[in-house]
Amino acid sequence: MCGIVGYVGPQDAPPLLIEGLARLEYRGYDSAGLAVLTDRDKLRVVKRAGRVRDLVEHLPPGFGGHTGIGHTRWATHGPATDVNAHPHTDATGRVAVVHNGILDNAYELRARLAADGVELVSDTDTEVIAHLVGRSQAATLQEKVAEALGQVHGTWGLAVLHADHPGEIVAARNGSPLILGVGNGEMYVASDLAAIVRHTTTVVLLDDGELASVTERGFSTTGGKAAAEIDVDPAAYETGEHESFMLKEILEQPETAARVLQGRLDDRFGTTHLGGLEMTPHESRAFRRVKVLGCGSAYYVGEMGAGLIEELARIPAHAEPASEFRYRNPIVERDTLYVAVSQSGETLDTLLAVEEIKRKGGRVIGLVNVVGSAIARACDGGIYLHAGPEVAVASTKAVTNMFLGFALLALHLGRVRDLSVADGKRLVAGLEALPDQIAEILERQDELAEVADELAKAESLFFIGRVRGYPVAREGAQKFKEISYRHAEAYPASELKHGPLALISPTMPTVVIVPDDDLASRNVGALEEIAARGGPLVVITQPGVDLGGVQVTRIDVPASEVELAPILLTIPLQLLAYRAALALGHDIDKPRNLAKSVTVE
């Protein structure tokens, strides 16, 4: 995986491909490359390890053509080298392929091709597709690609050029997102709308198992798809006046939080309007437990959500990594509501978990940000997060809206059970106050920057919290390690004395999450234990919490309804991670080794 862009039309393809690849850099990658068909139907390929700018510097004079494909690679097979970069070609040099995903039977296919005398030059799985397409005797390029894909197992989003079929790109999807962009006498292929949004917002979303043939005259798909207009502002994919996408998205949170709540709160009855769930009150009441599935930050906010559902609806709720779920042959129960959480809606581990639940007759809803994404389409209903495009690899505004989505769901489930109207109204008022409270926290960036500068000096950090504070600590550690590259570990505060306390020292800071709840005094006990061993302390808490005489760096967030405190306590952690990474000179939007949308297992 990571980024794919293709173009066919009257314009010179390389500049458009380079522009598209540059807009996909946020996804994380280690190399980049282009393949174009010249006006003489000759295939030319240039690829380089490193950044898109390194590729641009090595483009030869006269490198041009009206049909081309480009790729940024996130390694699944082989180190970052020029040879392993995409596109990959067949033995004749007349076929070029770019590919996101993983082929599960690549080793067997490589062995079979080698036995047939094919010389494989790269370490990648993708190269075998190019050889299989090149060896096909089918009449059309689409038939050649279909024949090749009939021999492979795994996941793919791919685009293929063939010198014998000029003016055409064949695209295919199976488990990795791919879209077609419809222009005026020109067509685009991309793995992400960001690559082409400046040129068109009329798109075709390919389904798994679907192939498409694209020429400047239009497109055809094996699923008979029609194009549709996507409602998106191209400016959402620009940093504007901000120094990074992550900072821009952090600062957008008051607006995006208000957007996900808009029209969904019912003050009269202290409940929520969630038509997207497609469940009657009777169906909502029938569930005996809730299982939340997500990966990374979506999993951690899923833990926050599970705790909220259990607290308000008083039914057992539990979060689990989607990446582990289907591998343990899970018991899927008819009276369990499964909730899949994903920013992109294309996270493969989560999508496969959804498919496993559906296969076994379970009811699954989605909390997804991207409308029309694979997970959104696979679920029985759900709540769109309406955070807008999130470009930075480290998720911020989508995490906030995920929590708010869970709050809406928990309030809905609680009110069809035993949550009183008074408590419902109290929580509705608390939710309505959150956007302004988030804005209040964001106004204190400079204060938080000073704390972050000190934390950045530490090689390792602890993040701890108790009950509703623990998943907040996990998300804080996640953000810190993602972009600052410091070792950050999260523990329940109660577990410190069962081992981790051995690591406390004057060089090991601990960030402690202390909501204003009935466990505050127990959290202060943990502060005392750390302070007694000389450990520096940063405490994220709320006004009115008495931290005793412990010497700490204190950061207060606004008072809130206690059930909603986790999201307010999370906001300073985003800024601390951001400012620490900035102090260390890291590339904020392109953290090493990571990708925005993980579409491989």
Side-chain angles (χ1 to χ4, degrees):
M1 50 183 269
C2 192
I4 290 173
V5 61
Y7 173 81
V8 54
Q11 300 187 64
D12 192 31
L16 296 170
L17 299 176
I18 290 293
E19 177 194 321
L21 294 182
R23 290 178 170 274
L24 296 178
E25 285 190 289
Y26 74 90
R27 296 172 66 94
Y29 68 104
D30 60 30
S31 55
L34 302 179
V36 298
L37 282 169
T38 70
D39 292 338
R40 295 184 177 183
D41 301 335
K42 180 180 179 181
L43 184 67
R44 300 184 69 185
V45 176
V46 179
K47 51 187 185 175
R48 285 291 181 276
R51 296 298 190 187
V52 170
R53 61 178 176 268
D54 300 313
L55 173 66
V56 173
E57 291 172 1
H58 287 87
L59 291 179
F63 185 79
H66 300 293
T67 305
I69 54 178
H71 191 264
T72 51
R73 186 189 85 131
W74 185 85
T76 60
H77 291 74
T81 64
D82 292 352
V83 172
N84 286 334
H86 296 218
H88 289 281
T89 60
D90 73 328
T92 68
R94 298 187 66 77
V95 175
V97 176
V98 294
H99 166 225
N100 290 344
I102 290 181
L103 304 187
D104 297 331
N105 61 336
Y107 179 80
E108 293 87 345
L109 291 170
R110 287 174 66 91
R112 193 181 81 194
L113 289 167
D116 287 346
V118 175
E119 182 181 355
L120 293 143
V121 299
S122 77
D123 302 312
T124 70
D125 54 345
T126 302
E127 187 185 351
V128 303
I129 300 175
H131 290 294
L132 293 174
V133 172
R135 290 160 67 87
S136 171
Q137 298 301 308
T140 69
L141 180 54
Q142 184 169 307
E143 289 171 341
K144 291 177 186 292
V145 173
E147 181 182 311
L149 294 179
Q151 302 173 65
V152 304
H153 306 294
T155 58
W156 56 81
L158 58 85
V160 182
L161 294 184
H162 198 308
D164 294 345
H165 300 270
E168 180 182 15
I169 301 172
V170 167
R173 169 187 170 139
N174 188 55
S176 190
L178 208 62
I179 63 175
L180 312 180
V182 182
N184 184 15
E186 57 189 3
M187 288 288 300
Y188 299 84
V189 176
S191 55
D192 191 308
L193 183 62
I196 61 174
V197 70
R198 285 188 67 249
H199 304 286
T200 182
T201 54
T202 304
V203 302
V204 180
L205 304 176
L206 297 184
D207 288 327
D208 282 351
E210 195 166 18
L211 281 79
S213 174
V214 176
T215 70
E216 66 178 17
R217 296 181 301 278
F219 68 93
S220 63
T221 71
T222 54
K225 286 286 180 60
E229 186 72 20
I230 299 292
D231 182 17
V232 64
D233 180 4
Y237 292 94
E238 305 284 352
T239 56
E241 63 185 15
H242 304 292
E243 58 196 16
S244 68
F245 279 108
M246 185 176 180
L247 179 60
K248 174 177 179 280
E249 289 156 10
I250 288 173
L251 297 178
E252 286 175 344
Q253 288 177 109
E255 173 192 343
T256 58
R259 192 160 60 227
V260 73
L261 298 174
Q262 187 174 11
R264 287 170 162 168
L265 297 175
D266 183 339
D267 181 62
R268 180 184 178 190
F269 295 106
T271 187
T272 58
H273 298 296
L274 300 174
L277 295 183
E278 299 184 8
M279 289 191 296
T280 66
H282 177 76
E283 289 173 315
S284 297
R285 188 178 174 84
F287 294 111
R288 299 184 61 186
R289 58 185 57 82
V290 176
K291 169 78 76 173
V292 180
L293 300 168
C295 297
S297 290
Y299 164 48
Y300 301 139
V301 78
E303 289 186 309
M304 300 180 206
L308 194 56
I309 290 168
E310 196 161 275
E311 191 168 7
L312 299 186
R314 302 307 300 155
I315 55 175
H318 174 69
E320 179 178 345
S323 52
E324 294 290 312
F325 177 75
R326 74 189 183 100
Y327 287 113
R328 62 177 183 79
N329 191 23
I331 298 170
V332 174
E333 300 168 305
R334 295 177 65 181
D335 57 0
T336 294
L337 176 63
Y338 295 89
V339 185
V341 193
S342 171
Q343 186 283 132
S344 68
E346 301 288 350
T347 309
L348 184 62
D349 287 315
T350 307
L351 177 60
L352 293 174
V354 170
E355 291 174 347
E356 180 72 4
I357 294 164
K358 299 279 286 183
R359 191 176 297 114
K360 293 184 175 181
R363 179 73 172 265
V364 57
I365 63 172
L367 266 64
V368 176
N369 193 38
V370 179
V371 175
S373 57
I375 293 173
R377 286 179 284 162
C379 288
D380 297 304
I383 302 171
Y384 277 121
L385 302 178
H386 299 309
E390 187 176 69
V391 176
V393 170
S395 182
T396 53
K397 63 178 182 177
V399 164
T400 294
N401 280 26
M402 286 174 190
F403 177 88
L404 295 175
F406 275 116
L408 294 169
L409 177 62
L411 186 52
H412 167 79
L413 294 175
R415 288 291 291 121
V416 298
R417 286 175 169 78
D418 299 322
L419 189 71
S420 69
V421 174
D423 275 332
K425 289 185 174 184
R426 173 179 63 83
L427 289 163
V428 166
L431 286 167
E432 289 174 333
L434 282 179
D436 287 340
Q437 292 177 318
I438 293 171
E440 183 180 333
I441 298 170
L442 296 178
E443 290 172 358
R444 299 164 57 194
Q445 284 187 72
D446 292 342
E447 172 193 340
L448 293 171
E450 294 178 10
V451 181
D453 288 347
E454 288 302 310
L455 293 179
K457 298 173 183 176
E459 294 295 329
S460 293
L461 303 90
F462 275 152
F463 288 72
I464 65 170
R466 192 182 295 264
V467 186
R468 64 170 57 90
Y470 175 51
V472 176
R474 298 191 77 182
E475 170 59 11
Q478 171 89 345
K479 284 291 166 289
F480 217 87
K481 70 183 68 169
E482 276 182 317
I483 60 172
S484 78
Y485 313 149
R486 295 307 198 201
H487 175 251
E489 207 66 47
Y491 286 97
S494 56
E495 283 294 300
L496 267 184
K497 56 187 174 291
H498 296 295
L501 207 57
L503 294 176
I504 294 296
S505 75
T507 61
M508 170 78 84
T510 302
V511 180
V512 189
I513 312 302
V514 186
D516 186 8
D517 59 15
D518 55 3
L519 296 174
S521 61
R522 300 305 312 138
N523 283 317
V524 172
L527 298 181
E528 296 279 8
E529 293 173 358
I530 295 167
R533 290 156 178 83
L537 286 159
V538 173
V539 179
I540 315 292
T541 187
Q542 294 179 293
V545 174
D546 184 0
L547 300 181
V550 186
Q551 184 176 352
V552 305
T553 298
R554 178 170 180 151
I555 299 170
D556 277 324
V557 303
S560 66
E561 298 303 330
V562 65
E563 299 92 339
L564 305 178
I567 199 57
L568 293 176
L569 294 163
T570 299
I571 305 298
L573 296 173
Q574 298 173 351
L575 286 166
L576 288 176
Y578 175 79
R579 291 294 179 178
L582 201 64
L584 292 166
H586 297 321
D587 190 339
I588 304 291
D589 291 333
K590 307 181 190 71
R592 68 188 184 199
N593 303 333
L594 300 178
K596 180 63 176 174
S597 178
V598 183
T599 56
V600 296
E601 292 187 80

